[in-house]
Amino acid sequence: MAQSVKGMRDLFGAELRWFQHIEETARRVFGRHGYGEIRTPILEELDVFKRSVGESSDIVNKEMYQFTDKGGREVVMRPENTAGVVRAAIQHKLLSSNDPVLFYYIGQQFRYERMQTGRYRQFWQIGAESFGVASPESEAESLLMLYSFLKELGLKQLSFSINSVGTPESRPAFHAAIRAFFSERQEQFCGDCHRRIETNPLRVLDCKNEGCQAALAGHPVITDFLDEGSAKHHARLKELLTVLGIPFVEDPRLVRGLDYYTRTAFELLSSDLGAQSALLGGGRYDGLVKQLGGPEVPAFGWAIGLDRLALILQQVRGEAPATPPVLLIPLGERAATAALQLARSLWDAGIALQLETRGGALKKAMASANRMGIQTVLILGDGELDAGTVTVKHMATGEQESWPLTEVTARLGTA
Ligand code: HAM
């Protein structure tokens, strides 16, 4: 029997219902903030990621689904969406005015990663990117939107970890400090870190190896090396988050796994996903548009793992409600005809319901209703038809009552 490719999942049932609920909530909340959707292709040229996510990152180094297409192009199944959105915005000249441009996206990403809870090789992200504004206020706006989104989904006890990674100009001083720190205890660091200290010293702070994390005790702190502008920016963002009541902690080791960040970087970890798993991450990336061939445009954004979010919601809120919650069961051929007509008038009135069309015994249909998590069963037999009624069974309590057929639409509509 053929199986799905390792790390790639089929989505259906309760899990997919959570996905849909999350997506609907995202569209509603982001729309309210003036963000418009963008959809970019899954395949991008290799260069798009090399020049953005960065050649020293694990994503580009180890995790990309990369191949040569039949026309000889080096292409990649996108490991993230920010670079593609920037590429699209430049290609279609969407950033040529001075106006802010606000995008969100919902889509699959691909990373060849080791499997664990909430980590897949095809996974989904919901993200938001804002272009054209360099201020801490724009970051507060974006984070507030993210916070409202998570709150509306019913998540509690959220706290962002934030840091500033400074600018390309302020970073060399920090690189020098971290290299000096490293060289004094280099034997305690892993092979990957020895490579990182050469190519991108910031990455050493992000190493997941426990030995390296221990060796990092007392390391130089990046926020001590910030230029004046970045320091002010960071202080102002913290002030705004405090005023808005958005909980955060400062994490000087937070550097993110992608190369394009400047100034603000942030993440949100969730203990529901096991150790070290991030639910979301993002930050400012003021140099990226220019780096990919566009004008000089500041930008800020984030992405949240939809698979991980659905997993958490399933844990904290249980099963997503079954839709539709009503099942209409006709008994006999005459009732089957009437049931189609009744269902049609209910559907036309905008009421969600499923219709049992298999015929057969009531017992079998009721067992299906139980398995599907149906809340209300409508039973229509000859007796009901003659009386002009429908029998209604409330599954949670087992109570049964009779409704006049003429009232079914109104009663279900207000249920
Ligand atoms: P990222 O931190 O690489 O950032 O990914 C964001 C989120 O995607 C993670 O926090 C996680 O929830 C989810 N994710 C990543 N890898 C996997 C995986 N293998 N399986 C399941 N979920 C995963 C970015 O991708 C940036 N583009 C975010 C951004 C947008 N920065 C600025 N704008």
Side-chain angles (χ1 to χ4, degrees), residues 300-312:
F300 179 84
W302 44 262
I304 184 161
L306 182 44
D307 310 73
R308 294 182 183 181
L309 187 53
L311 200 70
I312 291 174

Side-chain angles (χ1 to χ4, degrees), residues 29-216:
V29 175
F30 302 171
R32 219 154 63 194
H33 278 244
Y35 284 66
E37 187 176 357
I38 186 163
R39 300 186 192 186
T40 65
I42 281 173
L43 286 190
E44 293 280 352
E45 288 182 4
L46 170 63
D47 217 34
V48 170
F49 300 107
K50 271 197 176 168
R51 286 164 62 193
S52 57
V53 175
E55 298 201 54
S56 72
S57 68
D58 280 355
I59 295 177
V60 168
N61 252 307
K62 305 180 189 164
E63 297 169 0
M64 288 203 302
Y65 280 88
Q66 179 182 338
F67 60 95
T68 312
D69 75 3
K70 288 187 166 53
R73 295 172 200 90
E74 274 292 310
V75 292
V76 170
M77 290 168 74
R78 63 183 187 200
E80 59 103 60
N81 217 161
T82 307
V85 169
V86 171
R87 195 262 319 128
I90 297 169
Q91 182 174 334
H92 304 291
K93 303 196 170 43
L94 304 177
L95 307 175
S96 43
S97 78
N98 281 326
D99 302 329
V101 176
L102 308 172
F103 284 128
Y104 77 87
Y105 51 80
I106 301 176
Q108 300 97 318
Q109 320 297 332
F110 301 83
R111 294 183 194 175
Y112 198 84
E113 288 199 80
R114 209 160 336 118
M115 305 283 302
Q116 62 179 57
T117 311
R119 181 182 289 166
Y120 310 101
R121 291 179 176 172
Q122 171 176 293
F123 60 98
W124 290 73
Q125 281 184 346
I126 297 184
E129 315 287 355
S130 75
F131 296 97
V133 191
S135 69
E137 284 76 5
S138 76
E139 299 175 10
E141 182 276 327
S142 175
L143 285 164
L144 185 58
M145 178 171 85
L146 173 57
Y147 189 64
S148 311
F149 166 56
L150 296 172
K151 281 275 167 192
E152 256 173 64
L153 285 171
L155 289 187
K156 301 188 176 78
Q157 291 171 334
L158 301 164
S159 175
F160 293 106
S161 302
I162 67 167
N163 193 17
S164 175
V165 294
T167 61
E169 294 73 40
S170 71
R171 228 166 283 153
F174 178 67
H175 283 177
I178 199 96
R179 282 201 173 104
F181 177 85
F182 186 93
S183 67
E184 281 165 23
R185 38 183 83 63
Q186 44 181 308
E187 65 290 343
Q188 297 172 45
F189 286 94
C190 71
D192 272 349
C193 279
H194 281 262
R195 184 175 52 77
R196 292 179 182 124
I197 200 72
E198 298 303 325
T199 54
N200 188 349
L202 271 188
R203 271 288 118 63
V204 173
L205 297 180
D206 198 32
C207 184
K208 301 285 179 272
N209 185 310
E210 276 177 25
C212 298
Q213 281 297 319
L216 279 168

